[in-house]
Amino acid sequence: MTFALEGPVLEGARVRLEPLGHHHAGDLAVAAEEDRGAFAFTWVPRADEVGAYIDAQLERQAAGRLAPYAQVDRASGRAVGVTAYWDPRLWPGGDRLCAVEIGFTWLGGSARGAGVNTEAKLLLFGHAFESWGVARVDLKTDARNERSRAALEKVGARFEGVLRRWSPSWAPGEDGLLRDSAMFSVIAEEWPQCRARLVRLLEGRAGNDKPQTPAESHEPGVALS
């Protein structure tokens, strides 16, 4: 039996991760237009591009390469961003997942800094390590994106180095160029400590929903190969 990359609904106190669909398009169109200054090193669709963006993600899902999510704020019921599992790597035999990447992540401005990203990582890491039994979770970002790199380290991912000219650049004006990618990971042996760190971060935010600065959201790592 071959492993199929399928992301179930994952629910926390602040955020519910739902498999992405066109019913999220209206909310995501609003979120995508909030504070676009945070998207300097990535591509986030404009409001009128969200439908095509969802189509593209669902095509990748159908090909077995991606399990895309809408990040739904539980307090409002609105989709405030997206994230995904992608680039699954299997053990020999093809029936068990060895590693997976978390990427394609962005949040609208009103959702940044309120613990949404932190709790989403807790849910995504937890399912990958505890349900799928992966050995490793990968994350990456444009090496120039200091905000994203700081956010990844904050949630417990370990910096592994920079791979030069590794991924297509998604920075505005850099179509057709390759970027240097900063590579991060969490491995299975580190997960208990990482989990405790994320729980402490969320507990520290309990009762405080006021957005903080800098933003927590990290660049989505939208490499297609």
Side-chain angles (χ1 to χ4, degrees):
M1 180 177 179
T2 301
F3 176 85
L5 184 64
E6 296 176 351
V9 173
L10 301 173
E11 189 153 0
R14 293 170 173 81
V15 64
R16 183 172 62 253
L17 301 181
E18 300 178 353
L20 181 66
H22 279 284
H23 59 289
H24 298 116
D27 289 345
L28 293 176
V30 174
E33 294 297 334
E34 297 177 341
D35 185 18
R36 292 190 64 87
F39 304 142
F41 293 103
T42 188
W43 183 81
V44 173
R46 303 302 306 228
D48 61 356
E49 298 171 323
V50 167
Y53 172 85
I54 293 174
D55 284 339
Q57 296 295 74
L58 296 181
E59 287 177 9
R60 296 180 183 112
Q61 181 181 36
R65 301 170 60 194
L66 188 78
Y69 282 105
Q71 301 195 63
V72 177
D73 174 66
R74 289 197 59 192
S76 67
R78 295 187 302 109
V80 294
V82 298
T83 192
Y85 290 118
W86 82 296
D87 194 20
R89 302 200 303 282
L90 305 180
W91 291 106
D95 60 344
R96 288 196 302 130
L97 190 63
C98 172
V100 71
E101 183 166 340
I102 294 172
F104 285 89
T105 303
W106 58 265
L107 286 171
S110 63
R112 298 183 206 131
V116 172
N117 181 61
T118 301
E119 189 172 63
K121 292 300 185 295
L122 177 63
L123 295 170
L124 291 165
F125 288 155
H127 184 73
F129 286 116
E130 296 168 13
S131 296
W132 286 336
V134 300
R136 170 188 171 98
V137 171
D138 303 326
L139 308 101
K140 65 176 179 287
T141 186
D142 191 306
R144 299 167 293 181
N145 193 340
E146 295 296 336
R147 173 182 290 183
S148 175
R149 292 173 64 162
L152 289 173
E153 290 181 346
K154 182 177 179 180
V155 299
R158 181 174 297 187
F159 175 60
E160 296 184 321
V162 173
L163 295 181
R164 297 179 298 167
R165 301 298 185 266
W166 180 253
S167 307
S169 175
W170 295 90
E174 295 187 358
D175 293 351
L177 301 180
L178 295 175
R179 74 177 194 194
D180 295 347
S181 289
M183 313 300 288
F184 293 79
S185 71
V186 179
I187 61 174
E189 292 82 357
E190 296 166 347
W191 168 233
Q193 182 178 3
C194 177
R195 184 186 187 282
R197 177 190 184 99
L198 290 168
V199 169
R200 286 196 302 271
L201 287 171
L202 290 169
E203 289 175 345
R205 290 181 177 277
N208 179 14
D209 294 327
K210 182 179 179 180
Q212 304 293 313
T213 307
E216 291 184 38
S217 60
H218 73 79
E219 192 274 334
V222 196
L224 302 183
S225 61

